[in-house]
Amino acid sequence: MRKLLVLALVGLAAQLVDGALGMAYGLTSSTLLLFAGVAPAAASASVHLAEIGTTLAAGVSHWRFGNVDWKVVGRIALPGAIGAFAGATFLSSISTEAAAPWMAAILFTLGAYLLVRFSRPLRANRAAGRLRSRFLAPLGLVAGFVDATGGGGWGPVATPALLVSGRMEPRKVIGSVDTSEFVVAGAASIGFLIGLGSEGFLLPTVAALLVGGLIAAPIAAWLVRIVPAQLLGAVIGGVIVLTNARTLLSAGGVGGSVPVVVYALLGVAWLVAVGLAVRALRRARRARATVDAALADGPASAGEAAAAESAKSGEFAKPGESAEPAEPAPSGESAEAAESRKLAAAVEG
C-alpha cells in the first residue's frame, strides 16, 4: 500500500511538471519503475497506459484555459501515433542506448538556445508564419518513436523544437504538446498490447500513476497560463540542459568530481538566465504600464511614451528604416482606437 501511495505522489508530481513545462511525466515515471527493477518494455507500457488518462485530463484542462492550438495538434498527433506504435511494437528488438547520447546532445543544444533566447527581451517573429506539416509531421514521427522506445520523450523532443521555432506562445506549445500526447499514448499502448500482451501492463502501478496525474492535470493547466512566457521559457531551457547533461556525462564515462563541477556551473548559468529573464519581464511590464497610462491622455502621448521606452531599452530604428505604416482601422473602429490597439501590440511584441 505504501508503494502505491508513493507511486501516486510520483504521478502527481510528474504530471504537475509535465503540464507546466510540457515534458517529464514519462521520463520521471519510467526512471522510478526502472530503478525498482521493472523491465524496460513493461515500464514503458505501464507508463503509456497511465498517460492515456492523464493526457486526456491535461488536454481538457489546457483546452478550457485556451492553451491549445488545434491545427498544430492535428498535424503532429497522427505522425506521433505512427512513430509511437512502431516504437512500442519493436521495443524488444530495438536498442536506443546507442542513440541516447546523440539525442541528449541535440536536446542539450536546444535547451541552451532557449536559455539564451528567453534571457533577453522577447520579440515577435512577424515573418515566421504558421507551423507547416512538413515540419510537424517528421517531428511527431521521431518524437513518438523516441517516446515509446525510451519510456518517455514526447515532451523533451517536441516541446523544445516548437519553442525554438518562435512561432507559438510557450503556453500554447505546452498545451498542444500535452493534448496531442493523448493520441500518442493510445497508439503506444496498442503497440505494447500487441507485442507484450495484457501481462505486460502492471495494472496497480498504472492505477497509482493515473490517480496522481488526474489530480495534478487541472492545476498544471492553470499554472502554465499564469506563469509569464519570459520566465517559463528560461525555466524550460534549464530543465532540458540539466536533464540531458547527465546523459552526456554518463555516455562519456566522466566520473569523480567532474560531474559535480559541471552541474554546479550549469546551475549557476541557469540562475543567471532566469535572473535576466525576470529583469527583461519587469522592463516589459514597466513599458506596458507607461503606454497604458499615456493612452488615457490620447494616442499622441502614448506614442511619445512608447518611443521613450524604446529609447531606454536601446531599441532604435536602423538608419534608413522608416516607421511601420499605419494599419487600416477595421470598420466601425475609430482612428484613436486603432492607434491604441497598434501601440498595445507593439508593447506586447
Side-chain angles (χ1 to χ4, degrees), residues 182-313:
F182 169 73
V183 180
V184 175
S189 297
I190 295 174
F192 283 121
L193 183 62
I194 295 174
L196 301 176
S198 59
E199 63 273 10
F201 298 95
L202 307 176
L203 296 183
T205 299
V206 172
L209 294 174
L210 179 60
V211 169
L214 291 177
I215 294 174
I219 303 174
W222 168 78
L223 183 65
V224 73
R225 184 176 176 83
I226 65 171
V227 174
Q230 186 90 51
L231 183 59
L232 187 61
V235 171
I236 292 174
V239 170
I240 296 170
V241 167
L242 290 176
T243 301
N244 291 280
R246 178 178 178 275
T247 303
L248 292 174
L249 291 173
S250 299
V254 179
S257 60
V258 175
V260 177
V261 175
V262 172
Y263 290 142
L265 293 176
L266 292 177
V268 171
W270 187 13
L271 292 176
V272 171
V274 171
L276 292 174
V278 171
R279 187 178 67 172
L281 179 63
R282 288 177 176 174
R283 288 182 175 178
R285 286 180 172 175
R286 284 199 300 267
R288 190 179 302 114
T290 302
V291 173
D292 288 342
L295 283 174
D297 299 327
S301 299
E304 294 174 0
E309 290 298 331
S310 296
K312 288 180 181 179
S313 59

Side-chain angles (χ1 to χ4, degrees), residues 115-194:
L115 280 178
V116 175
R117 179 184 181 91
F118 286 96
S119 63
R120 299 178 298 174
L122 296 178
R123 298 290 180 268
N125 192 358
R126 303 180 186 277
R130 297 189 64 84
L131 291 166
R132 298 183 180 275
S133 298
R134 61 188 179 189
F135 168 75
L136 294 174
L139 174 63
L141 189 67
V142 172
F145 184 84
V146 172
D147 184 69
T149 55
W154 176 255
V157 173
T159 300
L162 293 178
L163 284 173
V164 167
S165 72
R167 303 181 186 186
M168 292 178 66
E169 298 177 62
R171 69 180 182 90
K172 287 203 171 185
V173 169
I174 293 169
S176 301
V177 169
D178 270 7
T179 302
S180 59
E181 193 172 8
F182 169 73
V183 180
V184 175
S189 297
I190 295 174
F192 283 121
L193 183 62
I194 295 174

Side-chain angles (χ1 to χ4, degrees), residues 58-129:
V60 171
S61 300
H62 279 299
W63 166 67
R64 291 183 61 186
F65 283 104
N67 299 335
V68 180
D69 186 330
W70 289 106
K71 290 185 178 180
V72 172
V73 171
R75 293 173 180 174
I76 198 174
L78 181 58
I82 295 173
F85 180 83
T89 303
F90 297 103
L91 177 61
S92 58
S93 60
I94 296 177
S95 174
T96 58
E97 293 181 358
W102 297 99
M103 185 182 72
I106 295 173
L107 295 176
F108 184 94
T109 303
L110 290 172
Y113 177 81
L114 291 177
L115 280 178
V116 175
R117 179 184 181 91
F118 286 96
S119 63
R120 299 178 298 174
L122 296 178
R123 298 290 180 268
N125 192 358
R126 303 180 186 277

